[in-house]
């Protein structure tokens, strides 16, 4: 459903990806692990159509993402993908509720409809009562759950998460992972999860390791042992 | 897991029958490795012999379950000493991993292949423990967590070792 084929990308003289190949199945949760600087985030950005590789192909639902122009890729990201990063990156001027509603508004929904759709996420993610807070008034774990709601509210086909628990303590990080996995499974969202923490990666169906810009698919799928 | 000390600890709550001790042990500490009644009564009679417990009332009838066991001052002192003493930190699994890595290098084999397999096995186990944690109750989750943190520590060691393999190879071959 989502695939990187022999992807190469360099930042100036620095090769970040040197022939990375990864295929992700519909509804699958894949963890991308590996040392710092190995190319995990770069691979995620290529898969998500944020970066365009120098060589190789990115396929999503039979479309060559790497051949789309920036406008089309931007539309694809908005309509089909959700994103969570290490630091929530909520819009500080907006309330938590408006942050969650934002992707729906950007997708053309009316405000009342967007807010109505955003609201149930607060109960679902244990955020009751925090709807009107701004990001400065949320703890790291709360902000990250708001970011998760925002990433999932428009029912994306793929959720891209780059170190979503990186700034949280282990218990709070696990709450975020529990909610991410449950919500993604409930709506059939495919997840590409970048993390260097094995305990976080253990939530995924499958783990791959990026080393020196290449993907090593070591582990067999869950249950396949 | 020290069975005698754990049973003593359970007895410090209140005097109990062997049956109740077995049930509570299996619930909280047995985790798929329940005690046999034979073990329970053998342990209790050893504790009685050593003056850590006494048998209070023996109810009429036959069989070991008629006896109620009561902890003595000596027993309570022992439980107290045990609970305040830290466990000897013993990273034994890592020593096996270490031995395999060094021996591989000495024999000219690929330690990296071994470490890849080990990483894989660790991740598999961590996945299984995560499933248990997400499905189970709090006691299951806490035990799974203990395993997960330990496996994670091993994985840190594996990654560090992979990064140092060239240097380690040189050191082992030159020795
Ligand atoms: N915008 C950029 N400009 C120049 N070099 C970059 C840029 N982004 C990444 N790199 C380089 O590309 C390589 C891969 O970086 P990447 O961010 O993908 O690593 P990573 O695996 O995500 O690391 P980390 O775990 O530290 O986040 C690194 O050498 C990095 O320095
Ligand atoms: Mg990164």
């Amino acid at each position: 459903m989502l695939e990187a084929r022999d992807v190469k990308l360099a930042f100036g003289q620095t090769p970040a990806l040197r022939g990375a190949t990864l295929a992700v199945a519909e509804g699958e949760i894949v963890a991308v692990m590996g040392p710092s600087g190995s190319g995990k985030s770069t691979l995620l950005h290529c898969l998500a159509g944020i970066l365009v590789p120098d060589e190789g192909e990115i396929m999503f639902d039979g479309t060559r993402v790497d051949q789309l122009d920036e406008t089309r890729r931007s539309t694809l990201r908005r309509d089909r993908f959700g994103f969570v990063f290490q630091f929530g990156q909520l819009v500080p001027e907006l309330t938590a509720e408006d942050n969650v509603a934002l992707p729906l508004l950007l997708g053309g929904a009316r405000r009342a409809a967007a807010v109505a759709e955003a609201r149930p996420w607060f109960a679902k993610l244990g955020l009751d009562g925090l709807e009107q807070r701004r990001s400065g008034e949320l703890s790291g774990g709360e902000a990250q759950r708001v970011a998760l709601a925002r990433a999932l509210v428009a029912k994306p086909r793929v959720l891209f998460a780059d170190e979503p628990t990186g700034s949280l303590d282990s218990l709070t990080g696990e709450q975020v992972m529990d909610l991410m996995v449950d919500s993604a499974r409930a709506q059939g969202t495919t997840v590409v999860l970048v993390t260097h923490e094995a305990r976080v990666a253990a939530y995924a169906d499958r783990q791959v390791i990026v080393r020196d810009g290449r993907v090593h698919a070591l582990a067999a799928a869950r249950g396949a042992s | 897991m020290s069975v005698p000390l754990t049973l003593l600890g359970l007895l410090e709550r209140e005097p109990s029958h062997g049956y109740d001790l077995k049930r509570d042990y299996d619930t909280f500490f047995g985790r798929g490795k329940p005690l046999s009644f034979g073990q329970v009564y053998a342990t209790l009679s050893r504790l009685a012999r050593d003056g850590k417990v006494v048998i209070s009332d023996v109810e009429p009838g036959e069989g070991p379950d008629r006896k109620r066991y009561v902890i003595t001052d000596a027993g309570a002192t022992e439980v107290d000493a045990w609970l305040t003493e830290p466990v000897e930190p013993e990273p034994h699994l890592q020593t096996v991993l270490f031995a395999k890595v060094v021996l591989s290098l000495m024999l000219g084999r690929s330690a990296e292949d071994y470490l890849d397999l080990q990483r894989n096995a660790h991740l598999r186990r961590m996945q299984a423990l995560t499933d248990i944690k997400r499905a189970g109750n709090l006691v299951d989750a806490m035990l799974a967590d203990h395993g997960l943190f330990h496996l994670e520590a091993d994985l840190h060691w594996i990654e560090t070792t992979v990064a140092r393999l060239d240097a380690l190879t040189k050191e082992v071959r030159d020795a």
Side-chain angles (χ1 to χ4, degrees):
Chain A
M1 175 245 206
L2 179 66
E3 202 173 339
R5 292 181 187 155
D6 205 17
V7 165
K8 295 177 186 155
L9 189 148
F11 294 103
Q13 294 304 305
T14 316
L17 296 176
R18 314 168 183 240
T21 295
L22 175 65
V24 184
E26 178 97 53
E28 195 181 20
I29 301 180
V30 176
V32 178
M33 308 174 67
S36 189
S38 58
K40 303 182 295 293
S41 296
T42 307
L43 175 61
L44 181 139
H45 292 152
C46 287
L47 285 166
I50 296 170
L51 288 172
V52 178
D54 300 331
E55 286 177 53
E57 305 175 0
I58 304 291
M59 301 291 298
F60 171 69
D61 267 354
T63 301
R64 281 282 298 270
V65 175
D66 55 286
Q67 290 183 337
L68 301 178
D69 61 25
E70 171 51 34
T71 317
R72 293 234 172 89
R73 279 187 283 118
S74 157
T75 309
L76 176 71
R77 292 198 298 267
R78 193 191 64 203
D79 293 348
R80 298 277 180 270
F81 298 161
F83 295 90
V84 183
F85 297 109
Q86 176 167 1
F87 301 100
Q89 303 185 344
L90 299 176
V91 181
E93 293 79 17
L94 297 181
T95 63
E97 189 171 77
D98 286 345
N99 263 289
V100 176
L102 194 58
L104 301 167
L105 293 169
L106 294 175
R110 300 252 201 95
R111 201 188 133 72
V115 169
E117 221 172 305
R119 199 156 286 160
W121 281 94
F122 284 80
K124 214 184 299 190
L125 300 190
L127 294 165
D128 282 303
L130 303 182
E131 291 84 347
Q132 301 312 319
R133 299 250 188 115
R134 279 161 221 282
S135 61
E137 302 162 342
L138 298 168
S139 76
E142 289 161 355
Q144 210 52 334
R145 278 179 281 160
V146 173
L148 181 61
R150 185 181 63 178
L152 291 172
V153 72
K155 302 203 168 46
R157 297 282 307 285
V158 186
L159 173 67
F160 293 96
D162 195 347
E163 301 284 2
T165 63
S167 58
L168 306 176
D169 66 37
S170 57
L171 207 53
T172 314
E174 273 172 29
Q175 282 172 356
V176 168
M177 284 312 300
D178 268 329
L179 294 167
M180 177 185 295
V181 168
D182 289 344
S183 314
R185 292 230 194 276
Q187 57 187 43
T189 300
T190 303
V191 180
V192 179
L193 164 71
V194 167
T195 180
H196 65 272
E197 285 182 87
R199 268 180 315 104
V200 172
Y203 280 82
D205 300 319
R206 183 162 66 101
Q207 295 89 14
V208 298
I209 298 189
V210 177
R211 202 178 293 140
D212 297 329
R214 289 192 194 84
V215 181
H216 299 254
L218 292 167
R222 186 189 290 270
S225 73
Chain B
M1 171 62 63
S2 165
V3 175
L5 280 162
T6 309
L7 292 184
L8 262 186
L10 289 172
L11 275 173
E12 185 155 3
R13 301 175 307 175
E14 56 180 355
S16 311
H17 294 282
Y19 173 82
D20 299 320
L21 293 174
K22 173 184 156 47
R23 186 199 51 213
D24 288 348
Y25 182 95
D26 291 350
T27 302
F28 288 102
F29 309 107
R31 298 280 115 193
K33 245 182 96 187
L35 288 181
S36 68
F37 279 107
Q39 262 176 300
V40 175
Y41 292 112
T43 305
L44 286 169
S45 57
R46 244 178 290 120
L47 289 170
R49 182 198 64 200
D50 297 341
K52 312 260 173 62
V53 304
V54 291
I55 297 156
S56 73
D57 31 75
V58 178
E59 289 150 21
E62 284 294 306
D65 245 328
R66 308 288 158 189
K67 294 176 183 168
R68 229 149 64 102
Y69 295 85
V70 181
I71 194 166
T72 63
D73 280 346
T77 305
E78 187 156 321
V79 171
D80 181 62
W82 188 52
L83 291 184
T84 45
E85 186 179 51
V87 174
E88 187 68 33
E90 211 177 354
H92 43 256
L93 178 56
Q94 183 152 316
T95 3
V96 179
L97 302 188
F98 177 76
K100 291 195 179 203
V101 169
V102 172
L103 267 175
S104 297
L105 296 177
M106 284 176 169
L107 301 176
R109 302 161 63 120
S110 167
E112 191 157 0
D113 287 352
Y114 159 67
L115 287 169
D116 279 349
L117 289 170
Q118 191 65 60
R119 178 195 294 110
N120 211 2
H122 268 57
L123 283 171
R124 288 283 72 65
R125 183 80 188 113
M126 289 183 76
Q127 237 177 15
L129 286 171
T130 303
D131 286 346
I132 289 171
K133 184 164 84 167
R134 280 166 55 72
N137 57 30
L138 186 58
V139 173
D140 290 329
M142 287 180 63
L143 285 165
D145 262 336
H146 191 260
L148 283 164
F149 281 115
H150 279 256
L151 293 168
E152 185 183 40
D154 282 342
L155 279 174
H156 282 306
W157 182 83
I158 288 173
E159 299 314 336
T160 313
T161 303
V162 168
R164 287 174 170 164
L165 267 184
D166 287 346
L168 184 63
T169 306
K170 199 171 174 311
E171 186 135 341
V172 166
R173 301 248 165 100
D174 290 351

Coordinates of all heavy atoms in Angstrom, one line a residue, chain A residues 9-12 14-17 33-45 51 86 162-163 194-196 210 213, ligand 1:
Chain A
L9 N 18.9 9.4 -1.2 CA 18.7 10.9 -1.0 C 20.0 11.4 -0.2 O 20.4 10.8 0.7 CB 17.5 11.2 -0.2 CG 17.1 12.7 -0.1 CD1 15.6 12.8 0.0 CD2 17.7 13.3 1.1
A10 N 20.5 12.5 -0.8 CA 21.7 13.1 -0.1 C 21.3 14.6 0.2 O 20.6 15.2 -0.5 CB 22.9 13.0 -1.0
F11 N 21.8 15.0 1.4 CA 21.7 16.4 1.7 C 23.1 17.0 1.4 O 24.1 16.8 2.1 CB 21.4 16.7 3.2 CG 20.1 16.2 3.6 CD1 19.9 15.0 4.3 CD2 18.9 16.9 3.3 CE1 18.7 14.5 4.7 CE2 17.7 16.5 3.7 CZ 17.6 15.3 4.4
G12 N 23.2 17.7 0.2 CA 24.5 18.1 -0.2 C 25.4 16.9 -0.4 O 25.1 16.0 -1.2
T14 N 26.2 14.9 2.0 CA 25.8 13.9 3.0 C 24.8 12.9 2.5 O 23.6 13.3 2.4 CB 25.3 14.5 4.3 OG1 26.1 15.6 4.6 CG2 25.2 13.5 5.5
P15 N 25.2 11.6 2.3 CA 24.1 10.7 1.9 C 23.3 10.3 3.1 O 23.9 9.8 4.1 CB 24.9 9.5 1.3 CG 26.3 9.6 1.9 CD 26.5 11.0 2.4
A16 N 22.0 10.5 3.1 CA 21.1 10.1 4.2 C 20.5 8.8 3.9 O 20.4 7.9 4.8 CB 20.1 11.2 4.4
L17 N 20.0 8.6 2.7 CA 19.5 7.3 2.3 C 20.3 6.7 1.1 O 20.6 7.4 0.2 CB 18.0 7.4 1.9 CG 17.0 7.8 3.0 CD1 15.6 8.0 2.5 CD2 17.0 6.8 4.2
M33 N 13.4 1.5 13.4 CA 14.3 1.7 14.5 C 15.7 2.0 13.9 O 15.9 1.9 12.7 CB 14.4 0.5 15.4 CG 13.1 0.0 15.9 SD 13.3 -1.5 16.9 CE 14.2 -0.9 18.3
G34 N 16.7 2.3 14.7 CA 18.0 2.4 14.2 C 18.7 3.6 14.9 O 18.1 4.4 15.6
P35 N 20.1 3.6 14.8 CA 20.8 4.6 15.5 C 20.6 6.0 15.0 O 20.0 6.2 13.9 CB 22.3 4.2 15.2 CG 22.3 3.0 14.4 CD 20.9 2.7 14.0
S36 N 21.0 7.0 15.8 CA 20.8 8.4 15.5 C 21.6 8.7 14.2 O 22.7 8.2 14.0 CB 21.3 9.2 16.6 OG 21.0 10.6 16.4
G37 N 20.9 9.4 13.3 CA 21.6 9.8 12.0 C 21.6 8.7 11.0 O 22.2 8.9 9.9
S38 N 20.9 7.6 11.2 CA 20.9 6.5 10.3 C 20.0 6.8 9.1 O 20.1 6.1 8.1 CB 20.5 5.2 11.0 OG 19.2 5.3 11.5
G39 N 19.1 7.7 9.2 CA 18.2 8.0 8.1 C 16.7 7.8 8.3 O 15.9 7.8 7.4
K40 N 16.3 7.5 9.6 CA 14.9 7.1 9.9 C 14.0 8.3 9.5 O 13.0 8.0 8.8 CB 14.8 6.8 11.4 CG 15.7 5.8 11.9 CD 15.4 5.5 13.4 CE 15.8 6.7 14.3 NZ 17.2 7.0 14.3
S41 N 14.3 9.5 10.0 CA 13.4 10.6 9.7 C 13.3 10.9 8.2 O 12.3 11.2 7.7 CB 13.8 11.8 10.5 OG 13.7 11.6 11.9
T42 N 14.5 10.8 7.6 CA 14.5 11.1 6.2 C 13.7 10.1 5.4 O 12.9 10.5 4.5 CB 16.0 11.0 5.7 OG1 16.8 11.9 6.5 CG2 16.1 11.5 4.2
L43 N 13.7 8.8 5.8 CA 12.9 7.8 5.1 C 11.4 8.1 5.4 O 10.6 8.1 4.4 CB 13.2 6.4 5.7 CG 12.4 5.3 5.2 CD1 12.5 5.1 3.7 CD2 12.7 4.0 5.9
L44 N 11.1 8.5 6.6 CA 9.7 8.9 6.9 C 9.2 10.0 6.0 O 8.1 10.0 5.4 CB 9.5 9.2 8.4 CG 8.1 9.5 8.8 CD1 7.8 8.9 10.2 CD2 7.9 11.0 9.0
H45 N 10.1 11.0 5.9 CA 9.7 12.2 5.1 C 9.6 11.9 3.6 O 8.7 12.4 2.9 CB 10.8 13.3 5.3 CG 10.8 13.9 6.7 ND1 11.9 14.4 7.3 CD2 9.8 14.0 7.6 CE1 11.6 14.8 8.5 NE2 10.3 14.6 8.7
L51 N 9.7 15.0 1.5 CA 11.0 15.1 0.7 C 10.8 14.2 -0.6 O 10.1 13.2 -0.6 CB 12.1 14.5 1.5 CG 12.6 15.4 2.7 CD1 13.7 14.6 3.5 CD2 13.2 16.7 2.2
Q86 N 7.9 14.5 17.6 CA 8.4 14.4 19.0 C 7.8 15.6 19.8 O 7.4 15.3 21.0 CB 9.9 14.5 19.0 CG 10.4 14.5 20.4 CD 11.9 14.3 20.5 OE1 12.6 14.1 19.4 NE2 12.5 14.2 21.6
D162 N 6.9 10.4 14.2 CA 8.4 10.4 14.4 C 8.7 10.7 15.8 O 8.5 11.8 16.3 CB 9.0 11.5 13.4 CG 10.5 11.4 13.3 OD1 11.1 10.6 14.1 OD2 11.1 12.0 12.4
E163 N 9.2 9.7 16.5 CA 9.5 9.8 18.0 C 8.4 10.4 18.7 O 8.6 11.4 19.5 CB 10.8 10.7 18.2 CG 12.0 10.1 17.5 CD 12.7 8.9 18.2 OE1 12.1 8.4 19.2 OE2 13.7 8.4 17.7
V194 N 8.5 6.0 13.8 CA 9.9 6.1 13.9 C 10.3 6.2 15.4 O 9.7 7.0 16.1 CB 10.5 7.3 13.2 CG1 12.0 7.5 13.6 CG2 10.5 7.0 11.7
T195 N 11.1 5.3 15.9 CA 11.5 5.4 17.3 C 12.8 4.7 17.5 O 13.2 3.8 16.8 CB 10.4 4.7 18.2 OG1 10.9 4.9 19.6 CG2 10.2 3.3 17.9
H196 N 13.6 5.2 18.5 CA 14.8 4.5 18.8 C 14.6 3.7 20.1 O 15.5 3.0 20.6 CB 16.0 5.4 18.9 CG 15.9 6.4 20.0 ND1 15.3 7.6 19.9 CD2 16.3 6.3 21.3 CE1 15.3 8.2 21.1 NE2 15.9 7.4 22.0
V210 N 17.0 0.8 10.4 CA 17.7 1.5 9.4 C 19.1 1.7 9.9 O 19.4 2.1 11.0 CB 17.0 2.9 9.2 CG1 17.9 3.7 8.2 CG2 15.6 2.8 8.7
G213 N 21.5 4.4 6.1 CA 20.7 4.7 5.0 C 20.0 3.5 4.3 O 19.4 3.7 3.2
Ligands
LIG1 N1 17.9 19.1 6.5 C1 19.1 18.4 6.5 N2 20.2 19.0 6.0 C2 21.4 18.4 6.0 N3 21.6 17.2 6.5 C3 20.5 16.5 7.0 C4 19.2 17.1 7.0 N4 18.4 16.2 7.6 C5 19.1 15.2 7.9 N5 20.4 15.3 7.6 C6 21.5 14.3 7.7 O1 21.0 13.1 7.1 C7 21.4 12.0 7.9 C8 20.1 11.2 8.3 O2 19.4 12.0 9.2 P1 18.0 11.6 9.8 O3 17.4 12.8 10.4 O4 17.2 10.9 8.8 O5 18.4 10.6 10.9 P2 17.6 9.8 12.0 O6 17.8 8.4 11.9 O7 16.2 10.3 12.0 O8 18.3 10.3 13.4 P3 17.7 10.7 14.8 O9 17.5 9.4 15.5 O10 18.9 11.4 15.5 O11 16.5 11.5 14.6 C9 22.2 12.5 9.0 O12 23.6 12.4 8.7 C10 21.8 14.0 9.1 O13 22.8 14.8 9.6

